[in-house]
Amino acid sequence: MADPAVTSGGALSAGGRGSGSKAASSPAENYFLSRRRTLQVVVSALLTESGFDSAEKAAVETLTEMIQSFLTETGRCAKAYCEHTARSVPTLSDAVISLVEMGFNADTLPAYAKRSQRMVITAPPVTNPPVTPKALSAGQKRTHPPYIPSHFPEFPDPHTYIKTPTFREPVSDYQVVREKAASQRRDVERALTRFMAKTGETQSLFKDDVSAFPLIAARPSSIPYLGALLPSELELQTLEETDSSEQDDQTDGETAAGNAIADDPGADKENPLLAPGGAVPSVKASEDVIDNPYLRPVKKPKVRRKK
Amino acid sequence: MNRKKDKGFESPRPFKLTHQVVCINNINFQKRSVIGFVELTIFPTVVNLNRIKLNSKQSRIYRVRVNELEAPFLYNDPTLEVCHHESKQRNLNYFSSAYTAAVSAVDPDAGHGELVIKVPSELWKQGDDLKVLKVYIEFSLDQPKGGLHFVVPDVEGSMAERAAHVFSFGYQNSTRFWFPCVDSYSELCTWKLEFTVDASMVAVSGGDLVETVYTHDMRKKTFHYVLPIPTAAPNISLAVGPFEVLVDPYMHEVTHFCLPQLLPLLKHSMSYLHEIFEFYEEILTCRYPYACFKTVFVDEAYVQVSTYASMSIFSTNLLHSATIIDQTPQTRRCLAQALAQQFFGCFISRMSWADEWVLKGISGYIYGLYLKKTFGVNEYRHWIKEELDKIVDYELKMGGVLLHPTFSGGKDKDNPTPHLHFSIKHPHTLSWEYYKMFQCKAHLVMRLIENRISMEFMLQVFNKLLSLASTASSQKYQSQMWSQMLLSTHAFLKSISNVSGKDIGPLIKQWVDQSAVVKFFGSFAFNRKRNVLELEIRQEYSSPGTQKYVGPIKVTVQELDGSFNHTLQIEENSLKHDIPCHSKSRRNKKKKIPLMNGEEVDMDLSAMDADSPLLWIRIDPDMSILRKVEFGQADFMWQYQLRYERDVVAQEESISALEKFPTPASRLALTDILEQEQCFYKVRMEACFCLAQIANAMANTWQGPPAMKSLFTRMFCCKSCPNIVKTNNFSNFQSYFLQKTMPVAMALLRDVQNLCPKDVLNFILDLIKYNDNRKNKFSDNYYRADLIRALTNSLTPVISISNEVRTVDNLNGDVRLILEEITRFLNMEKLLPSFRNTITVSCLRVIRQLQKNGHIPSDASLFKSYAEYGHFVDVRVAAVEALVDYTTVERSSAELQWLLSMVQDDPSHYIRHEILGLLCKNPPFTKTADSALCNEALVDQLWKLMNSGTAHDWRLRCDAVNLYYTLFGLTRPSCLPLPELGLVLNLKEKKAVLNPTIKPELGGAGAGGVDTPASIGIHGVDEDPDPVSLGVCGVGQPPQGLKRKADTPLGSPPEPGQVLQQQEDDGRGARFKIRFNTMEDEDIDMETVHDSQAFIHHHLNLLERPSTPGKEPPLVEQAMLSMLSTPATPAPSFSKEPSSLSSKHGSEHGHHHHHHHHEHKKKKKKHKHKHKHKHKHEGKDKDKDRDRERDNSHAYSNSPASGRSLRSPSLSD
């Protein structure tokens, strides 16, 4: 349906027909515009018939709108009835039922059509209905396979059901990937910190331009060690990820060679990695046999003599 | 104390403590107060035990009962205020001696104490049946400043939800701060400890937890601990908090405690403790002596590790998760240290302060063995070298560290360490730095002993000591046996000689009885004709901190045909040593060269001197002397040594020697080492820095890319795109450490313009940019922090045309890039904090460096906000460091004041200590330089700080003393106005003398000083001298005082001295010390005895307790206090001494002044000669101006001071 704003605007500004068509440029708009002009002529003719000498533009416009709605609704309704009965072309009875449905007395119609003083209106100029632009011409349109009757609707455009063959070569260049990942992360971090800095208190390194390198203000915490010691959730998350996918799949292919861990902290590092796994279950398994005074239940007070 | 020939332990007390009950009924976190009582079971060892001296500081004592009888008591803590507050004395010698005297006066090792309890006469008149006395003391602590530390975070919720906790702390024997006890390492007893705490809390203390019982209202519970092994009070500790409990999965008798939410970290950090246990038990062939062990991790810890009987208190910051690399070895070291001290230090205790070195030495030594086993021989040797370098540097800079000081009778002539500005007579007067060095030296000396007698014997000795002690500890009812658990130097040496049969006397004499280290200079020449290596080893032993070494020394010579050890004898006069060579110089044959370890290697010998078969020479390769060796050998020899010697110490030595040889050959040798993966990673790390230095020295001729860049690229960057670093994978720790270090070293490179090359800076910025840790199972926080450190290192001072103000617009492009990175890092840290906030720490440092180099405006406010309470401790320290630097560079007195106010008020003891330590390291000015900051107000402020402001913390007080020494030196600070009384008139001698305050005496004024000028001791002898009555005695003469006040100019009357004097009474056990002063007699007693007493009396009165000796006078005293708070009431000639003695002394005194005036140049000698009472004059000021001033000061010659000193009673000898 045409954009009512455009159409009415065109009509209003036009008054005369020529200028209106100038405004509308695209063929689709032209098409709709000319239809509407015809309707306006119709309305004007009807008004003249009814004995009006002149009408305000706004009134004509409103009436045009009403008549357009009426016709459209009639058509839509008739089409619906026709499809309801599994036909593709509306018949007269469809149209009649539609009119009846809309509260129009269809019987008066022939008489009205044959009235004497009716004015003859020239046919609207022939304009081609706008061609719906092809959305995507991807692949070849498929024809029906033999087992589907030909009256069945055609296949929709191929782009709606086939994989789009559009395929850009993925960036597999290691350097670019790293570059991209790095700058992406940096951008995210910068944006985030800038945002935090803008929304909260800041400190600055320069007195003349406090916004140059905004530092989020240092805020003392009441339990500072928690933040400093506990790994952040992000770290825990990545840790889990790396745990599941083992360290080795380095993108660059080659891992640092020679894990000859000799007499250095290297040697001791192996244990903590193994230990927690081994240690924790052993506690749980033997929990009930551990006799540790701190695990014993607290005793109820006894009545004791005062010292 | 002398090494006694008799091995037995002599208690300085007239009683033996056998059992002590400590019961703390109430701990109030809101008010930070503690209420409780103690009960000591003692056996008198003399008939008529009438006084019991105990240690107690800062607690309020409500009542004392002995065997159910109310006992009067006296409380006097002279260390509260060392020098009298009115005194204008400002020199450190004076303070040091007064402080030593104050500490001695309450030293439990000498049988003294702050709390004197008078045994009710009913009990001591019972006669000679030595029966048990039970001393019951009720006490409370209100907002303790020392001893116990409350951490109460300011958040919503109950105390348990807020993670509020309290724990005991202190430096050396500091238990007296939180309950009355005999605060000596040598007084052992069994313990019963009870703590009633909120039901949501856990109380952890020494010994076995017997039971936990709810109180009747079920809101609290009482923890009952029993410690059946005799233990000294300083080894008792307490920690209360809402701790999470973790029973060690390997050893169920070991329990770990941490603050809420940290349990996962605790589980990980403690997962290897059992290995340490197993190691020690195995080498000592002795079970862990206590039935259980507890580790508690607390916030705001005083030190990282403190060990007590059967428990250790650690800093919570030692806990870490599995992703943290760098913290892991550090935490393990701390645990190992703590456990080593459980055996030696807690279970076996020291007999006296002079024996401390044995325990510190043994625990440090076995800790070293653990290091060797766990971290490897390389790490161990590296550590030994590090420690050796540390002690050598310290001793050469500060003078000797004496392990076993002997004090013969406290005469300061015998002061063994006159070079120090503090006394080493007591642990509490030691500077912290010195004590650390002391510990370091102790374990090194133990290693020397091991070298002499073999490790096997060494361990046998330890085992013997431990089994003796555990036998003694099981003697429940024979408390006299318990002294077997005390270790003395003598017992230790005897045990060594018994076990090994070797005489280590000379070794002990050289390193233990004597301070200082040895400094060797070596050089050599090769005599081709004789085929002999002529080695010359000279020594320097005249400069401070050095001593002469006589004895064997090992020299290792690597020749073409192999490595040969030679033992040379260093004697008095022999400098040259001829060492025959084994190989002829020839290089025609291609032959592998055998090394020390039997390995045979190919070497490129083209660099060698064609005539000589010598590859390299090492002096004392095993570090069996505490020495510094400066050895001159050619650069190619150092290079060979670096490449082919397998000992990490030799490699490190050659690296530091190569710094002086910036040649392409050195460069090649270092690069080769860097690349060699078999090489110890710490050596490679050092090579990085050396390479940077060499590159800088060769800046003009340097070829190729910046040093290490291609190396780093090869090792850590992608093959395909060499400018991008690989995604992090830290599973090989050696390469991790190298990856961390190389950028830091590279950033030190400078081009010809002395700027960091653009290449390098971009390279580092790229490393930061491309850093990707997503695939790493370890945290990269230390790596990123090091990259920021690299940025810091790359900074050079700005070149500015004018003194323009730094603004954003005129920012250098590189600096802008750096700032971008830092801003991002620092801001990200707020959102995703890194472990221990390492990144914030690095950022603060780089910001300060940018300011210092003039790139951005210098401003302290950022650092101030980070230094505030509530930030993580590492961040605070970094911020304080920046502030200290700011203070020094900008000479800002506002910031200095800010720091000093933090020293006074900050809740964290560690931060206070750090501030003073950092100020000492980077002082705003020193005694040699003038500064606008140096003014009278500052002197007064610091004086006040060390005099009374730090009485609650021994360590802090010593830090303050250190700072005072750094800023003003030993003598009266030069910025002070001269005392107005330049001359004093000696009425008796009719001579005018220079006021001793301003004309200091040379030398000798030492730490051991018991006397100071014009000091007067009053000595109570046979009778019970009641200190109160002595104090009161001056009351009779106020008019004179008023007169004196009138004719003395206000403001700066010189104080000839006022000390706390300790007198030895040879007759009885009764010893009394009284603070006395020629000018302000009354005040003296006010200050010491009175104040505390008045306080106590006040409370006693309130509580309507029975009378105490001090009860009668308080009203009078208080009146006096108000009346006499101004100086100057004349000295009363009050003495119980025979008047003849006192007057004789008086004349001597005058005589002394006489000398002073006329012959002050010779003064010292004469003085020492004639006056046994050893008057001391402070300082060594020879300022000419002073002399002039003295001449001009006749106007004051009628000062009453001299007259008074005439009449002053004194008894010194």
Side-chain angles (χ1 to χ4, degrees), chain B residues 1007-1063:
Chain B
V1010 175
D1011 300 58
T1012 42
S1015 68
I1016 286 142
I1018 279 198
H1019 186 202
V1021 196
D1022 296 330
E1023 264 77 19
D1024 282 338
D1026 189 342
V1028 175
S1029 66
L1030 283 177
V1032 171
C1033 67
V1035 175
Q1037 302 155 336
Q1040 260 185 296
L1042 293 172
K1043 201 167 79 194
R1044 188 224 179 272
K1045 189 179 166 191
D1047 61 23
T1048 312
L1050 285 175
S1052 56
E1055 300 299 327
Q1058 157 246 336
V1059 284
L1060 182 126
Q1061 210 163 355
Q1062 178 204 333
Q1063 299 290 339

Side-chain angles (χ1 to χ4, degrees), chain B residues 480-550:
Chain B
Q480 64 275 19
M481 283 287 287
W482 292 349
S483 64
Q484 295 283 335
M485 298 175 74
L486 302 175
L487 186 55
S488 70
T489 309
H490 173 75
F492 174 66
L493 296 180
K494 196 169 170 212
S495 187
I496 283 188
S497 93
N498 283 350
V499 169
S500 71
K502 286 185 181 150
D503 174 28
I504 58 163
L507 189 153
I508 295 298
K509 189 162 172 293
Q510 179 116 42
W511 305 119
V512 177
D513 293 341
Q514 220 169 298
S515 66
V517 292
V518 183
K519 205 171 168 187
F520 289 121
F521 297 93
S523 58
F524 76 99
F526 177 66
N527 189 325
R528 198 181 169 192
K529 277 182 195 157
R530 294 166 55 210
N531 198 23
V532 154
L533 163 68
E534 295 168 356
L535 188 67
E536 182 180 313
I537 300 176
R538 283 180 296 116
Q539 288 189 52
E540 187 191 301
Y541 42 82
S542 49
S543 59
T546 53
Q547 60 165 305
K548 190 191 255 178
Y549 177 77
V550 173

Side-chain angles (χ1 to χ4, degrees), chain B residues 303-371:
Chain B
V303 281
Q304 285 208 319
V305 183
S306 44
T307 35
Y308 304 96
S310 84
M311 79 181 270
S312 292
I313 296 180
F314 297 94
S315 160
T316 194
N317 304 332
L318 291 176
L319 296 176
H320 60 90
S321 69
T323 55
I324 307 298
I325 298 176
D326 300 48
Q327 184 63 46
T328 308
Q330 286 171 30
T331 301
R332 289 189 187 190
R333 282 168 176 244
C334 288
L335 288 175
Q337 256 168 341
L339 212 50
Q341 287 171 17
Q342 286 287 310
F343 290 90
F344 293 94
C346 292
F347 180 60
I348 294 190
S349 186
R350 69 174 188 231
M351 197 173 273
S352 73
W353 165 237
D355 305 315
E356 169 83 349
W357 78 274
V358 182
L359 290 164
K360 287 293 171 209
I362 298 177
S363 59
Y365 169 78
I366 58 174
Y367 160 69
L369 295 182
Y370 169 79
L371 287 189

Side-chain angles (χ1 to χ4, degrees), chain A residues 65-236:
Chain A
E65 192 72 20
M66 285 168 71
I67 202 165
Q68 186 175 359
S69 303
F70 182 82
L71 290 175
T72 314
E73 180 57 22
T74 314
R76 193 200 61 78
C77 211
K79 172 95 171 145
Y81 278 114
C82 128
E83 283 175 358
H84 189 65
T85 44
R87 283 175 282 112
S88 53
V89 181
T91 60
L92 178 64
S93 56
D94 289 330
V96 171
I97 290 176
S98 311
L99 288 171
V100 170
E101 187 70 10
M102 287 165 69
F104 187 84
N105 191 354
D107 298 340
T108 61
L109 202 55
Y112 182 73
K114 290 170 187 156
R115 71 191 186 276
S116 56
Q117 70 273 46
R118 81 187 168 104
M119 293 172 74
V120 179
I121 305 159
T122 50
V126 182
T127 45
N128 296 327
V131 192
T132 34
K134 289 253 159 109
L136 271 170
S137 52
Q140 281 195 327
K141 200 155 183 177
R142 280 173 71 180
T143 51
H144 282 165
Y147 50 84
I148 292 180
S150 57
H151 64 269
F152 269 60
E154 284 184 345
F155 272 110
D157 275 347
H159 77 268
T160 57
Y161 59 88
I162 59 166
K163 253 193 217 166
T164 315
T166 319
F167 180 71
R168 216 189 305 157
E169 199 65 23
V171 192
S172 55
D173 184 21
Y174 184 71
Q175 181 169 356
V176 178
V177 171
R178 286 292 300 276
E179 175 85 46
K180 208 165 190 180
S183 51
Q184 212 162 32
R185 199 191 51 222
R186 176 179 300 224
D187 290 346
V188 168
E189 285 183 5
R190 188 175 295 146
L192 180 62
T193 52
R194 283 269 157 102
F195 172 72
M196 296 302 288
K198 285 231 168 90
T199 48
E201 251 180 272
T202 53
Q203 288 165 319
S204 176
L205 297 170
F206 292 90
K207 293 221 172 66
D208 57 325
D209 185 357
V210 284
S211 61
F213 294 98
L215 299 174
I216 301 174
R219 202 165 295 127
S221 105
S222 31
I223 308 185
Y225 60 86
L226 283 184
L229 297 181
L230 287 174
S232 64
E233 274 175 42
L234 188 80
E235 277 179 284
L236 285 177

Side-chain angles (χ1 to χ4, degrees), chain B residues 904-969:
Chain B
Q904 266 149 342
D905 305 329
D906 200 82
S908 162
H909 294 272
Y910 177 73
I911 288 291
R912 297 188 200 187
H913 163 68
E914 272 298 315
I915 294 173
L916 289 178
L918 289 166
L919 276 172
C920 283
K921 251 186 225 154
N922 189 2
F925 58 92
T926 56
K927 53 204 170 211
T928 49
D930 266 343
S931 166
L933 293 179
C934 176
N935 56 37
E936 200 176 347
L938 182 68
V939 175
D940 282 346
Q941 191 182 7
L942 281 177
W943 183 269
K944 213 179 134 203
L945 186 68
M946 65 182 189
N947 193 30
S948 55
T950 47
H952 51 276
D953 186 350
W954 308 115
R955 179 175 74 174
L956 197 64
R957 176 170 261 165
C958 297
D959 291 335
V961 170
N962 268 355
L963 180 61
Y964 195 88
Y965 174 71
T966 317
L967 298 183
F968 308 118

Side-chain angles (χ1 to χ4, degrees), chain B residues 183-195:
Chain B
D183 197 10
S184 161
Y185 281 99
S186 58
E187 190 70 43
L188 308 178
C189 67
T190 54
W191 296 80
K192 169 81 176 68
L193 307 155
E194 294 176 33
F195 305 102

Side-chain angles (χ1 to χ4, degrees), chain A residues 174 178-179 185-186 189 203 208 214 216 221-222 228 247 250 254 263 265 268-269 272 292 294 299 301, chain B residues 155 211-212 214 225 252 255 268 332 375 725 727 733 769-771 775 807 821 824 827 836 865 870:
Chain A
Y174 184 71
R178 286 292 300 276
E179 175 85 46
R185 199 191 51 222
R186 176 179 300 224
E189 285 183 5
Q203 288 165 319
D208 57 325
I216 301 174
S221 105
S222 31
Q247 182 79 32
Q250 282 265 333
E254 43 143 6
D263 40 28
D268 65 288
K269 291 302 177 350
N292 184 292
Y294 294 95
K299 290 182 186 170
Chain B
V155 280
E211 56 177 359
T212 319
Y214 277 115
Y225 284 91
H252 295 169
T255 321
H268 174 73
R332 289 189 187 190
F375 299 102
V725 68
T727 56
F733 299 118
K769 180 176 170 193
Y770 293 116
N771 177 46
K775 293 267 159 88
T807 58
E821 296 298 335
R824 197 166 50 84
N827 286 341
R836 294 195 75 153
S865 68

